[in-house]
Amino acid sequence: MVGRVHEYIKSRVGTGEKLHFTLIDPDKATDLVKLEEVSEKMVEAGTDAFLVGGSLGITHEEADLVVSTLKKRGLPVVIFPGNINCLSRYADAVLFMVLLNTLEPYYLMQIQVIAAPIIAKYGLETLPTGYLVVDQDTAVAHVGRVYPVPRNKPELVAAYALAAEMMGLKYIYLEAGSGAQQPIPLEFPRVIKQHTGLTVIVGGGIRDPDSARKLTEAGADIIVTGTIVEKDPDLGARIIKAIKETTSQ
Ligand code: 1GP
């Protein structure tokens, strides 16, 4: 159900505020003391929510533990599922996603059918999201059997976004892939904002404040960083501050 987390996002994005979500992969966040420290640092820097998920190796117990730890920070914790193993009853919401450019029917409808009764039992809010993966050389592209979108074809991205909106989705997540060589092209959020009212989430390969700022100026409403938070939390904090400065200009 669309509920409190959607309202939290919508009310702020609606005023032009740019948001930042910190992505934690439970497969990598095995040191809980470090997770406490890093998550606190991200909250101090101004992150707006935590995403929890990843493509590989996450056990149900790890997902529960990471979500419970992050809940202490007082911000929404949203599952960003690679599969049903990432679901946790302790989360506030889940990105209920369809992988728009997959060749694999499992990710188009089957996983949603498998997950829906579990999500209902857990009482998680669902954020209806079209997930579009841009590059090929990433774990998410391989696992998701992605048919990549060419970087020089923003008109294709606009068509995907329009179709997603016509199907009733509220969010589109433009994904370069975790640890990607470069973020998605700036033209992609730009065309989506020209053609739809979708809330645009952008992630993958964002490793410096300038890239994050350019993406928000191009129309991204929410920036996600994961790898940099693990590798260099201070730089992660500077990225968040750059995003927040875009809002105040
Ligand atoms: C991956 O978009 C997220 O799904 C974050 O990517 O790890 O490269 O920040 P990074």
Side-chain angles (χ1 to χ4, degrees), residues 2 37 83 91 94 97 151 166 197 201 212 215 245:
V2 168
E37 283 169 18
N83 213 312
V94 53
M97 302 199 295
R151 287 190 157 256
M166 287 172 182
I201 308 171
L215 284 162
E245 277 164 23

Side-chain angles (χ1 to χ4, degrees), residues 23 80 131 173-180 202-207 224-228 230:
L23 172 63
F80 173 41
Y131 190 45
Y173 191 137
L174 299 172
E175 174 71 275
S178 188
V202 173
I206 301 168
R207 283 186 278 271
V224 179
T225 55
T227 305
I228 203 68
E230 286 158 30

Side-chain angles (χ1 to χ4, degrees), residues 78-138:
V78 180
I79 303 294
F80 173 41
N83 213 312
I84 51 170
N85 53 309
C86 299
L87 294 174
S88 168
R89 65 171 71 244
Y90 306 115
D92 297 293
V94 53
L95 294 184
F96 196 71
M97 302 199 295
V98 53
L99 180 43
L100 298 171
N101 59 329
T102 182
L103 297 172
E104 175 56 65
Y106 179 78
Y107 290 109
L108 281 177
M109 197 56 209
Q110 197 173 356
I111 184 61
Q112 294 82 353
V113 171
I114 295 167
I118 301 171
I119 291 170
K121 271 188 194 165
Y122 287 175
L124 296 179
E125 178 183 342
T126 47
L127 305 174
T129 305
Y131 190 45
L132 195 63
V133 176
V134 174
D135 288 314
Q136 200 151 30
D137 296 333
T138 58

Side-chain angles (χ1 to χ4, degrees), residues 14-15 19 31 83 101-102 119 121 143 149 153 156 203-204 213 220:
T15 63
L19 306 187
D31 180 344
N83 213 312
N101 59 329
T102 182
I119 291 170
K121 271 188 194 165
V143 173
V149 183
K153 294 286 176 212
L156 269 176
R213 197 179 299 114

Side-chain angles (χ1 to χ4, degrees), residues 48-68:
D48 298 286
F50 290 101
L51 291 185
V52 175
S55 299
L56 285 174
I58 299 168
T59 67
H60 192 62
E61 291 75 19
E62 286 167 341
D64 274 350
L65 200 56
V66 165
V67 170
S68 307

